[in-house]
Amino acid sequence: METSIKADAKSVTRHDLVSLYEQHSPGLYRYAYRLLGDQHMAEECVSETFSRFLQTIRNGGGPNENVKAYLYRVAHNYITDIYRRQPPPALSLEEDLHAGDQMNPVHMLTREMEKERVRQALVQLPSEQRRVITLRVLEEWSHEEVAAALGKTVEATRALQYRALAALRRLLFEPEDEIL
Amino acid sequence: MSNSQDTEPSIDPRLRALLNMLRATPPRDPKAEAYGRAKYIAEVDELFAQDAKPISNPDRNQLLGAQPKQRFTLASLRQSLAFTTLTAVLSIFFILFGGASATAYASQSALPGDALYSLKTGLEETQVRLSRDAARQAELHLDFAERRLVEIASLISQRRFDDIHTATSEFEAHVQQAIQSLEIISVGDPARAKELTVQITATLSSYSQVLQGMLATVPDTVKPVVEKAILASRGEGSNEVEFEGTIQEITPDGWMISGKLVKATPKTEIKGNVVIGTLVKVHAVMYEDGSLTAREIEAVESQGENLNDNVVNSNGNDNIATGNPNNNATVSENENEGLEDLNSNTNRNDNEGEDNTNQNDNDNDGSGQNVNENDNDHQDDNANQNDNLDEHGDDTNDNNHDSGGNSNDNEGHDNDNSGGGNENGDD
C-alpha cells in the first residue's frame, strides 16, 4: 500500500496507525537486525522508529513522503546514530547464534566475524550509498521503490548503487587502501 | 519486494555472497514483538487520549483508505502525557502475556529515572546472586555494565542528561564487581583467571572506547561522571575503602559521614535504621578524585546483636535531661551459642535526670558467662534491668543504683544489686 501522510493532514484514525504498524514492523525488524546484528537492539530500533513516527504526527501532520520510505529513513538514521555513538560493539558470541547455524563453533564464529565485518563496511559507506545497498540488495526493493525513497530518479539510483557496490568491494576486498 | 537478484548481474558474486550472509534473520522473540506492539498501541492511544474532544476537519485528507471513526486534531495535542491510558494498556498486556515475566521483559528497556528501572536492576542482582560460579558472575557483571552503556547512549539521545550519573555509577560498580570476581577466581584457579583477565581486559577497553565517544556528546556538567566511568573501565582510579563514622547530613548530593561526603546510589545497600546521628560502617569505592560512592552503609547499632562471638559491648550514655526515654540506646543484646563465651554488657550511664532506663540482655546458649553492669548516678526512679537467659554459666549482674528500680533476671547465678529497693529474680 503506497500510502502517504501529507504534511497538511490534520487527522488519521487509530486504525490507520495500527495497521501501519502491522504492515511495516516485521520488515523494519529484519532491516534493523541485518545492520545491527542484535535482536534486542533491532526491537529497540523498531520501537523507536514508530515512536518518532507518532511524534511527527503529533507535532502537526505526518511525513511528507510515503510512509514506508519515511519509516525506513527513520530506522536508517537511528542505526546510523547507534554506530556513530559507539564504535563497533565487542563481538558477542551469544547473539546471532540462532537456530540454523548448526555448524561447528569455529565456523560459526568465523561466520559471525565475517558478518560483523560486512556490517562495519556498510556503516563506513556514505549514508545514501548505504541506503541504496541495504534497500536494494538486502531488502530487495525495486529500483523504483528505492528511487522514491531516496527522492531520486531511477537512473540516479542505479548510478548510486554502482558507486556504492564499488566502494563496498574496495572496503571488503582491499582493506589496505581504505580511503573512504 | 520485486525482481532484484536477476536484474543485478553487475554485483560481484563474492560481494553478493557476503551481503547475503546478512540476509538471514532470526525469528523475532514473540514476547519482544508483542511488547513492542503493545507499547506502540499504547502510544497511539495516548495520542488520541490527549484530545478528548474530537474536532472534525472537513478539509482533512481521507488517508489510508480507512474509516475515520475517531477524528481529532493532532496538531493541538499537548505535550503533557496522559499516562493513564498507557498504564491501562500496558497492564492489560502484562496480564495477557504472563504477568511478572512480561513486566520483567518490559523493564529491560527501562532507563534510569523510569518507573521500571529498579525492577530491571533488581532482576540483574538476583541473576548474579543465583549464580554461584565466580566466572559466571564476572561475565554477568560485564554484561550488565554493557547494558548501562546502552542506557547511557539512550539517555544521551533523549537528552536526559540528569539521569546519566545513575547509569555511570552502576557501570562502575559492575566493573568493580567483575574485577572482584576475577580476584576470587585467581585464588582457586589461576589459569582460568588468567584467561578471563585477557577477555575482561579486552571488553573493558572496548567499553572505555564507547565512553570516550560519548564524552563528546554530553554537556560539560555531565562530563565528570562519564570520565569517572572511563577511569573505572580502565580498572583504574577506584579503590574499596571502609570506615566508620556518624551521619551528619543526608542531602541529594550524598551523605555527610564524619566529614566525608559519600555518594549513595540506588544500588547502595542500606542496612539497619540509618538516620542522622547514627554511627555507621561504610564500604565505599574511592575514585581518583577522592570522591566516595557507597556500596554499603550499615548502622553500627548500639543494640548490636552478636552471634557466636566473644563480644564486649560497651555503651556510654550521658543523660542530662529528665524523663529521658533512653532505654533503647542502652540496650545491649548478646547471643552466644558457643561454649565458654563471655558476654559482657556494660552500661555506664551518668543519669542526672530521672526516669532513665538501662537494660542489658544476655543470652548464652553455651556455658558462657554473662556480665552486666549498670551504673546510675541519679538517685531516683532509674530502672536498670539486666536479663540473663543463661542456664549454665556464671552470670553477674551489677546494678549500682542508690535507690529503687533495679531488677535482675537471671537464669544463671550471682546477681548483685548494690542499690536499695532492688529485686533479683535469680533462679
Side-chain angles (χ1 to χ4, degrees), chain B residues 45-62:
Chain B
D45 286 342
E46 197 182 282
L47 195 71
F48 282 81
Q50 287 173 53
D51 203 316
K53 268 188 293 175
I55 298 167
S56 75
N57 176 0
D59 296 329
R60 71 182 271 278
N61 289 316
Q62 288 287 114

Side-chain angles (χ1 to χ4, degrees), chain B residues 53-80:
Chain B
K53 268 188 293 175
I55 298 167
S56 75
N57 176 0
D59 296 329
R60 71 182 271 278
N61 289 316
Q62 288 287 114
L63 292 164
L64 315 160
Q67 329 79 310
K69 279 182 191 148
Q70 274 173 287
R71 297 181 181 186
F72 57 96
T73 311
L74 289 163
S76 70
L77 295 177
R78 290 176 301 280
Q79 226 25 53
S80 60

Side-chain angles (χ1 to χ4, degrees), chain B residues 211-231:
Chain B
L211 285 162
Q212 284 288 359
M214 289 171 172
L215 201 54
T217 64
V218 299
D220 285 350
T221 48
V222 183
K223 285 198 162 72
V225 296
V226 178
E227 277 162 355
K228 230 167 75 175
I230 293 173
L231 284 178

